[in-house]
Amino acid sequence: MVQFRRARALFDVGDHKKLMLALPNLLSTGHACAEDGEAGDYVRLAACYDLATEVLSKIGRYSASRITADRSNIFSDLAGSPLAAAASARAFSIVLRHEDRSSTAQRVTLHAAAKVEATGLNTPAQAATFAQMLCTVAYAAAQAGDRVRALEMIGAAERAAKLLADRHERPQTFSVTPASVALYKVGVLWGLGDADAAVDAGKDLHPGQFATAERRGRLHTDMARAWWQWGKAEETAVALLAAHREAPAEVRDRPSMRAIVTELAERHPRTAGVRQLTAAVHARSA
């Protein structure tokens, strides 16, 4: 669907405002295309709702994201596709984590991962989706305080990403690379409260390893969270400034990032980079 590709491109460059304006028409078109009840149309409609869930969660519209996640689950079930169900479960896990239901998110993603694994992982799409689900399970487990499972799953994801890289095949849905898994590892370790280990896990990552502005911005915001958890104000500000350069919306539109900027300004107003960061975020918000 051309509209979906355009909407996804808006997400990838961090243009949340335009994406939000495009969503009603995207979903309406998706529903119209699915009127005949074809499995492929249901898959595409579920993907539209997954995208809606991602952007709504990112900008703090959590109640609305719960609705879109539920609808994605309905249509991925109608499609009967384990891969579509996994994508829906991933989006749903984002909602559950924001509802402080990380244990439920862990169960949901584990169930979806098992269904993907049962396909035999014979295609690049199946293998990449499974690797993505391992990352998602690891992150949910970390947020739930399940250290053993979080580390087990991220380790399995690292091995899966290496195998994918060796295959030199391009999957259609999820692009999983050693670098993307390493970024998840930063989040997992941060979620477990191991700030210094999280920083160490991300120390060799660089923007050139990530294809979209959204992912490059996310690299820096995840590192900023780790630095902030470690109590390193200057490093936090530097990371957030880097994120703002790559994708301003990753700092401007995400409530968690704006909260860090506010705390930096209140607690460390004279720290290098803090004034510049505050001015940049406020200027883009005006």
Side-chain angles (χ1 to χ4, degrees):
M1 189 193 301
V2 173
Q3 282 180 268
F4 177 80
R5 290 196 294 271
R6 289 174 178 167
R8 185 75 216 187
L10 291 172
F11 180 87
D12 287 342
V13 299
D15 197 335
H16 301 153
K17 184 176 181 179
K18 285 186 180 179
L19 177 53
M20 289 297 295
L21 291 173
L23 278 181
N25 193 41
L26 173 66
L27 296 172
S28 177
T29 301
H31 277 278
C33 291
E35 284 183 352
D36 292 333
E38 296 292 333
D41 294 327
Y42 286 138
V43 168
R44 286 184 282 274
L45 182 53
C48 292
Y49 276 110
D50 289 338
L51 180 60
T53 301
E54 283 196 76
V55 69
L56 288 166
S57 296
K58 195 180 280 284
I59 66 175
R61 299 274 298 276
Y62 303 128
S63 295
S65 70
R66 186 58 149 86
I67 295 170
T68 55
D70 285 341
R71 292 190 178 164
S72 174
N73 280 318
I74 290 169
F75 292 113
S76 64
D77 285 345
L78 288 171
S81 164
L83 303 192
S88 294
R90 175 179 173 269
F92 190 31
S93 74
I94 297 171
V95 174
L96 291 168
R97 292 197 305 268
H98 282 298
E99 293 177 346
D100 294 323
R101 299 172 63 196
S102 294
S103 294
T104 303
Q106 183 182 179
R107 290 194 297 273
V108 166
T109 50
L110 270 172
H111 181 67
K115 285 190 173 181
V116 176
E117 188 175 22
T119 65
L121 309 181
N122 297 314
T123 70
Q126 291 169 350
T129 300
F130 182 63
Q132 175 62 57
M133 293 310 294
L134 292 174
C135 291
T136 305
V137 172
Y139 192 77
Q143 294 294 310
D146 189 343
R147 173 177 291 272
V148 173
R149 177 162 284 160
L151 296 178
E152 176 189 357
M153 292 295 102
I154 200 64
E158 288 174 318
R159 294 188 292 274
K162 178 62 168 61
L163 291 174
L164 281 168
D166 290 343
R167 288 175 69 165
H168 301 293
E169 296 171 309
R170 189 172 184 178
Q172 295 179 346
T173 305
F174 294 113
S175 178
V176 181
T177 66
S180 70
V181 175
L183 182 55
Y184 263 97
K185 190 172 186 177
V186 172
V188 166
L189 292 168
W190 169 84
L192 292 171
D194 296 339
D196 55 341
V199 168
D200 186 66
K203 70 180 187 301
D204 294 326
L205 295 175
H206 58 84
Q209 294 170 304
F210 299 90
T212 69
E214 186 269 341
R215 285 291 95 185
R216 293 191 293 272
R218 187 60 183 254
L219 163 63
H220 294 302
T221 58
D222 279 8
M223 292 299 290
R225 291 194 308 179
W227 283 120
W228 186 239
Q229 187 181 65
W230 201 359
K232 306 288 187 179
E234 183 173 349
E235 289 84 352
T236 302
V238 168
L240 288 176
L241 281 168
H244 193 273
R245 286 192 294 272
E246 294 285 358
E250 280 298 298
V251 183
R252 182 189 67 226
D253 293 351
R254 291 173 62 193
S256 59
M257 294 302 110
R258 290 184 65 86
I260 293 177
V261 173
T262 298
E263 288 186 59
L264 278 167
E266 291 175 350
R267 294 164 52 185
H268 305 279
R270 294 182 177 83
T271 296
V274 171
R275 185 175 296 178
Q276 181 185 356
L277 173 64
T278 304
V281 171
H282 287 169
R284 294 302 292 266
S285 301

